[in-house]
Amino acid sequence: RGEASADPLAYFLVIFSVPKPAVPAKPPNVGAPSPSSPFPPQGLGVGGGGISAPPPSSIPVPIGSHGPSHGGSHSVGHGIGHSVSHAGSHTAPHSGSHGHGGSHSSSGGSTLLGYIGIDTIIEQMRKKTMKTGFDFNIMVVGHSGLGKSTLVNTLFKSQVSRRSAGWARDEKIPKTVEIKAVSHVIEEGGVKMKLTVVDTPGFGDQINNDNCWEPISKYINEQYEKFLKEEVNITRKKRIPDTRVHCCLYFISPTGHSLRQLDTEFMKRLSHSVNIIPVIAKADTLTIEERQEFKQRVRKELEMSGIEFYPQKEFDDDMEDKSDNDKIREAMPFAVVGSDKEYQVNGKRVLGRKTAWGIVEVENPNHCEFAQLRDFLIRSHLQDLKEVTHNIHYETYRAKRLNENGGLHPISSAETQESNL
């Protein structure tokens, strides 16, 4: 020992040649992370266990000499990571908190270690929609006596449309088509909807029905224009009132033969500006065989005339939508019956029409296709009707208007108030 103390190099050789003392058994839960702890075990070796770093207490340090200790800490630290690099110069708890050797995950952060709450955005949207509500505007077109108002009242199970049993004796039949819009707020399950029913009395009731669709087309475009002016305004409203027509129910007379020329002309001119859904009114006047033949004839005539009714084939988003919409297109036009009167049938109160030979149940799929129309119009495609109106028909009108005028000039708040009045 006296010779080794004279030569520092010999001193270190003697120290490291001493047999390594036995390592005591590792206590439980040391070196392995707990299931809830995101930190890796301390003192990991290079390459996942190839070379183990000795604990700081097992490295012999000469008394009063700090140089070799500092050099040893860096030589081992660069080989196994910063967690051991700081082990010789700092305390052990600090080394575990700064360990970079095993803190990075090989998965790149794709696996979440806990619940974040991304899936709650659906619930947030639902709550916001329930607070603000939404608008739905439906137009009914067809000549008088086809039960347009009755069908709309049956659809929404409330008196949302004007009720007219015909023209009174002292009331003159209008010479031109009138546009009457009635709005109601209906609520179901905490969801509020502002429903606007646009009626068109006088359509097809004249001897000369030339251009009788022009007032209807003008009204539809006026709603697009009103929405467009609100959009280009400098100070826009937080929520622009939506009066655009989302759906147009066109009532076909149950003649059992073919479409009238007025029917074909109307749908051809307005099919590119509004979602048209043709329905056969008062289908209880047709037998089952007559109804099927009439539906096939109507579909063929619409196809030959190049009339596209909703849902259009080019707007199918994916194969699932295409499969569902193909079934709907094959069933259209829906043969419907409307009634707001209830009758007792087999111990149940049902909506129906009472005849001499029985009761036609409105919601019975064996009697008519009203239930299919309601499910299609309200329960499965109501939101899609609004989206097609905004993204297709309104955008077509918007692009046309901006190209014609080279862009619309912003309007003042006074003009906005006047237009709303």
Side-chain angles (χ1 to χ4, degrees):
R1 292 183 181 270
E3 296 177 356
S5 61
D7 189 357
L9 179 59
Y11 173 78
F12 277 101
L13 291 177
V14 171
I15 292 297
F16 282 98
S17 64
V18 176
K20 185 176 181 181
V23 180
K26 182 172 62 176
N29 300 328
V30 175
S34 63
S36 61
S37 175
F39 297 101
Q42 298 181 10
L44 287 178
V46 178
I51 301 177
S52 298
S57 59
S58 65
I59 302 178
V61 180
I63 299 175
S65 175
H66 296 281
S69 170
H70 186 72
S73 66
H74 279 281
S75 62
V76 179
H78 288 291
I80 64 172
H82 291 282
S83 62
V84 183
S85 170
H86 294 285
S89 56
H90 300 284
T91 59
H94 187 71
S95 66
S97 62
H98 289 275
H100 299 287
S103 62
H104 292 287
S105 174
S106 59
S107 61
S110 61
T111 303
L112 300 179
L113 298 176
Y115 179 70
I116 295 179
I118 301 174
D119 55 352
T120 61
I121 188 172
I122 304 298
E123 181 65 17
Q124 298 172 36
M125 295 170 63
R126 188 188 70 85
K127 288 182 179 179
K128 190 170 184 179
T129 304
M130 290 182 67
K131 289 181 180 179
T132 59
F134 60 97
D135 304 319
F136 186 66
N137 309 315
I138 182 172
M139 174 182 281
V140 289
V141 181
H143 66 78
S144 302
L146 292 180
K148 301 185 298 295
S149 302
T150 303
L151 182 68
V152 174
N153 292 338
T154 310
L155 275 172
F156 298 97
K157 293 187 176 181
S158 58
Q159 298 293 329
V160 294
S161 180
R162 68 180 188 90
R163 183 64 186 272
S164 176
W167 303 108
R169 294 183 178 181
D170 56 345
E171 186 178 0
K172 295 182 180 180
I173 298 177
K175 295 183 180 180
T176 58
V177 178
E178 297 179 359
I179 306 295
K180 294 184 177 181
V182 181
S183 298
H184 295 271
V185 176
I186 58 180
E187 183 175 354
E188 182 182 29
V191 180
K192 294 182 180 180
M193 180 178 73
K194 182 182 178 183
L195 175 67
T196 301
V197 180
V198 184
D199 200 356
T200 57
F203 178 83
D205 295 337
Q206 309 299 322
I207 298 177
N208 183 7
N209 291 307
D210 289 346
N211 302 326
C212 65
W213 55 82
E214 288 184 353
I216 300 174
S217 178
K218 180 182 178 183
Y219 176 84
I220 294 173
N221 291 332
E222 284 177 352
Q223 310 315 308
Y224 289 151
E225 183 71 17
K226 186 184 298 185
F227 195 88
L228 178 60
K229 286 184 178 180
E230 290 288 349
E231 276 194 336
V232 302
N233 197 10
I234 295 177
T235 56
R236 295 195 300 180
K237 298 178 180 178
K238 183 179 180 181
R239 189 167 181 262
I240 300 176
D242 190 2
T243 59
R244 299 169 296 181
V245 179
H246 302 127
C247 171
C248 175
L249 287 179
Y250 187 81
F251 288 71
I252 301 173
S253 300
T255 60
H257 298 291
S258 61
L259 291 173
R260 298 180 301 169
Q261 185 177 0
L262 177 61
D263 301 333
T264 306
E265 195 66 26
F266 173 85
M267 287 188 279
K268 183 184 295 184
R269 290 180 178 271
L270 270 73
S271 61
H272 296 290
S273 59
V274 70
N275 297 316
I276 293 181
I277 299 178
V279 295
I280 300 174
K282 294 189 174 181
D284 54 333
T285 61
L286 301 172
T287 64
I288 297 178
E289 292 79 9
E290 290 173 345
R291 186 176 71 185
Q292 290 302 118
E293 292 178 0
F294 188 42
K295 290 179 63 174
Q296 293 177 3
R297 194 176 296 115
V298 169
R299 283 198 299 266
K300 186 176 181 180
E301 290 184 10
L302 292 176
E303 184 179 356
M304 292 178 62
S305 301
I307 298 173
E308 297 181 352
F309 53 85
Y310 180 86
Q312 297 88 339
K313 293 183 179 179
E314 60 266 26
F315 300 154
D316 295 339
D317 294 332
D318 49 34
M319 293 303 298
E320 183 181 358
D321 287 347
K322 184 179 184 303
S323 176
D324 295 340
N325 290 337
D326 282 343
K327 296 178 182 178
I328 295 173
R329 285 186 281 261
E330 292 174 0
M332 294 180 72
F334 295 110
V336 298
V337 176
S339 176
D340 51 6
K341 294 183 179 180
E342 291 185 346
Y343 297 94
Q344 193 83 12
V345 177
N346 297 328
K348 295 181 179 180
R349 302 289 295 179
V350 297
L351 293 172
R353 288 169 55 89
K354 188 175 182 180
T355 63
W357 53 87
I359 296 177
V360 180
E361 300 177 30
V362 171
E363 296 177 311
N364 191 335
N366 296 323
H367 293 184
C368 71
E369 297 172 343
F370 170 82
Q372 291 178 259
L373 173 64
R374 180 188 57 197
D375 293 348
F376 161 67
L377 187 63
I378 301 175
R379 299 182 181 178
S380 63
H381 284 70
L382 189 146
Q383 181 61 27
D384 188 68
L385 282 165
K386 298 183 63 175
E387 291 179 358
V388 171
T389 300
H390 180 77
N391 298 328
I392 305 299
H393 300 306
Y394 170 69
E395 284 298 323
T396 302
Y397 177 85
R398 176 178 172 274
K400 181 180 177 182
R401 285 284 288 114
L402 295 180
N403 287 332
E404 286 177 354
N405 296 346
L408 293 177
H409 298 289
I411 57 178
S412 62
S413 58
E415 292 177 351
T416 305
Q417 295 175 358
E418 293 178 359
S419 63
N420 293 335
L421 295 176

